[in-house]
Amino acid sequence: MTKPLIEFFWDPASPYTYLAATQIEDIAADCGAELAWKPFLLGKAFEACGNRPPITVPAKGKHLPIDLKRWARFYGIAFQFPKSFPVNSVAPERAAIAADHAGKGAEFAKAVMAAHWGEGRDISQPDEIKAVAASVGLDGDAIVAATQQPAVKDALKANTEDAIKRGVFGAPTFFVGDEMFWGSDRLQLLSAFLKGKLAS
C-alpha cells in the first residue's frame, strides 16, 4: 500500500513555519505518511496573490509576539524574535536545497529554523549557514558555495513557482494530493484528513 505524501512548503522567514516544523514529522509518522520538505520563497507568493506579512497589519503585529510565545510554551520549544527579522531567506533556502541534494534536507531545514527562531541567529549570513550545515554533518563551505549553483537556484525557483501555481498564499502550507492545508494551527485538520476522519 502506497503511503500518502505530505508536501510541506516552508520558508524560514515565517515563525509559524518554525512552529509547524517542530511538529510535522511526528504527525507524518503517526499518520503513516511520507514527508517532503519544500523550501519556497514566501515573499514571491505574497506578491503573486496580493497577500502581505501579518506583522505589517498593526493589530496583528501587536498580538503576533504574544501568540507565538504561547505556541512555543505549548509545544515546549525555544522561541525568540531575531533582531534580523524580517530575514532575507533566499540564501538559507538555497542552502536547504543543497543540503537536500546531499541527503540532509530535513535535518538542515529543522536546524536552520531552530537557529533563527530558537536562538535568534541571522541565518542570511554565510557564516551562520555554514554553522547550521556543520551541525547536521555537512561541509558548511561546500553548502554555501552550492547556493550559487544554477541547479540549486533553479530548484528553489521551481518550488516557488509550483507553490504559486497551486494557490499557496502563506506559510506553512501542506498538500496531500490536491488538498491544501494552510497554517501551523491546521495541523490537527491535516492529521484528521490523513486518518480518514475528515472528508475533503
Side-chain angles (χ1 to χ4, degrees):
M1 183 177 177
T2 303
K3 290 184 176 182
L5 175 66
I6 302 170
E7 296 175 272
F8 175 17
F9 284 87
W10 65 277
D11 185 321
S14 160
Y16 289 100
T17 299
Y18 163 60
L19 294 176
T22 68
Q23 309 299 310
I24 190 59
E25 287 184 321
D26 287 343
I27 289 173
D30 182 54
C31 296
E34 300 288 347
L35 179 61
W37 297 71
K38 292 197 163 185
F40 82 112
L41 296 173
L42 177 59
K44 293 295 184 181
F46 280 166
E47 290 174 9
C49 70
N51 200 1
R52 59 173 173 158
I55 196 75
T56 65
V57 180
K60 286 183 179 179
K62 182 178 180 180
H63 183 68
L64 195 68
I66 298 169
D67 186 55
L68 290 166
K69 288 176 183 177
R70 283 175 178 165
W71 276 109
R73 287 195 299 270
F74 182 73
Y75 286 145
I77 59 175
F79 178 82
Q80 59 179 288
F81 249 97
K83 292 180 180 179
S84 54
F85 180 81
V87 72
N88 185 329
S89 60
V90 173
E93 291 201 272
R94 287 179 181 170
I97 296 284
D100 188 53
H101 290 173
K104 292 285 185 79
E107 292 87 348
F108 183 90
K110 291 182 290 182
V112 80
M113 282 186 268
H116 188 54
W117 293 107
E119 301 173 24
R121 291 154 57 186
D122 183 355
I123 56 171
S124 68
Q125 299 303 308
D127 285 346
E128 292 292 357
I129 293 173
K130 290 178 185 179
V132 171
S135 76
V136 298
L138 295 172
D139 182 329
D141 289 324
I143 292 297
V144 169
T147 63
Q148 301 306 309
Q149 294 176 357
V152 169
K153 293 180 180 181
D154 288 346
L156 180 58
K157 182 180 178 181
N159 280 358
T160 303
E161 290 174 348
D162 182 37
I164 292 170
K165 182 179 179 180
R166 294 165 75 178
V168 171
F169 54 85
T173 295
F174 308 91
F175 282 95
V176 179
D178 292 330
E179 298 293 331
M180 183 173 79
F181 298 85
W182 161 73
S184 60
D185 54 351
R186 270 64 168 203
L187 292 175
Q188 286 181 308
L189 297 180
L190 173 63
S191 177
F193 178 77
L194 285 164
K195 291 179 178 181
K197 298 178 180 180
L198 181 67
S200 61

